[in-house]
Amino acid sequence: TNQFEKFGNQLFDTAQKTASSFQAASAAALEFSRQGLKTEEVLKRTSDALTLVRLTGINAEKAVSLLTATVNAFTDLDTTSAVNKFVAVETKFAVAARDLVEGLSRVGSAAQDAKVDFDELNALITSVQQTTGRGGAVIGNALKTIFTRLQRQSTLEALERFNVTVRDVQGNILPATKVLDNFASQYDKLTD
C-alpha cells in the first residue's frame, strides 16, 4: 500500500510538471507498466511521453506508442534522449517536432533495417521537410518506400550496373544513406 501510494504521488507530480491531466498520466503509465518496466522506468517514460504530448499536440496513447517503437527500434536510445533530440531539432531548424514524430512513426523500422540511425533519420526528415514543406507523415511514407526498395536485390544490382557502390569490402550492404550518397555522386555522370 505504501509503495502504491508513493507511485500515485509521483505520477500526480509527473502530471503536474508536464501540465497534463492525471488521467492522461495514468493512461500512459498503465501502457508502460504493461511492458513489464520497473516503477522508476514507468515514471520516467510517462514523463517523457507527456512532454512529447505537450510539445507536439498528439495524444498520450500515440506518444507512448511512438516512444516505445523508438526505443525498440533504436536500442541505443532512451525515451528522454529521443524527446531531447526532437526538441533540439525543432529549436534549431524550421521543422515542428510533430513532423519529426509523424515521420519517425512511419519509417522507424524500415530505417533500422536500412542501417539508418536515429540522428540520421531525424536529419533526413528535417532536411526533406525544410526543402519540400511536406508533412511528417508524407515524408515518413516516402522514406519508408525508399529504404524498402534500396534493400531489394534487383535495386542493388541495378545500382551496381551504374557503378554505384552498394557493398563494403566484405560484401555487406552499405547503410541506405551511404548508398544514396554514392548514387548522388554518380547521378550527373549518367546518360539518359
Side-chain angles (χ1 to χ4, degrees):
T1 304
N2 228 6
Q3 288 178 332
F4 186 71
E5 188 175 309
K6 183 179 176 185
F7 177 76
N9 289 337
Q10 290 174 325
L11 191 58
F12 184 78
D13 289 343
T14 298
Q16 208 171 26
K17 288 177 185 173
T18 58
S20 301
S21 70
F22 183 74
Q23 185 178 12
S26 60
L30 176 63
E31 289 304 315
F32 284 127
S33 65
R34 286 181 178 160
Q35 297 172 17
L37 301 171
K38 293 184 179 185
T39 304
E40 299 82 29
E41 188 66 18
V42 167
L43 289 169
K44 178 178 149 278
R45 289 188 184 193
T46 298
S47 177
D48 294 337
L50 295 175
T51 300
L52 193 59
V53 166
R54 188 170 178 203
L55 180 66
T56 63
I58 62 176
N59 64 36
E61 182 181 323
K62 188 166 186 174
V64 167
S65 175
L66 173 73
L67 288 176
T68 299
T70 299
V71 296
N72 287 345
F74 301 98
T75 54
D76 59 334
L77 192 68
D78 66 9
T79 56
T80 304
S81 297
V83 171
N84 288 341
K85 289 178 184 217
F86 290 140
V87 171
V89 170
E90 181 180 55
T91 303
K92 191 167 183 173
F93 300 99
V95 61
R98 184 179 189 121
D99 284 323
L100 293 170
V101 169
E102 288 291 333
L104 184 73
S105 69
R106 307 286 172 120
V107 70
S109 61
Q112 185 67 23
D113 292 343
K115 302 176 190 169
V116 176
D117 71 25
F118 186 81
D119 292 334
E120 287 176 312
L121 185 56
N122 257 345
L124 284 168
I125 294 170
T126 299
S127 179
V128 173
Q129 202 280 331
Q130 284 188 308
T131 303
T132 65
R134 299 285 185 176
V138 171
I139 294 167
N141 285 336
L143 289 173
K144 180 179 178 180
T145 300
I146 291 168
F147 294 153
T148 302
R149 290 182 181 172
L150 273 178
Q151 294 175 59
R152 291 182 185 163
Q153 190 62 35
S154 60
T155 302
L156 295 172
E157 290 169 359
L159 288 170
E160 285 178 321
R161 284 194 301 273
F162 293 116
N163 296 319
V164 175
T165 305
V166 297
R167 299 177 195 283
D168 62 16
V169 291
Q170 287 87 23
N172 300 317
I173 297 172
L174 295 170
T177 53
K178 184 65 180 160
V179 172
L180 291 173
D181 282 342
N182 293 342
F183 177 67
S185 67
Q186 291 293 326
Y187 186 77
D188 289 334
K189 300 173 189 172
L190 297 175
T191 63
D192 289 342

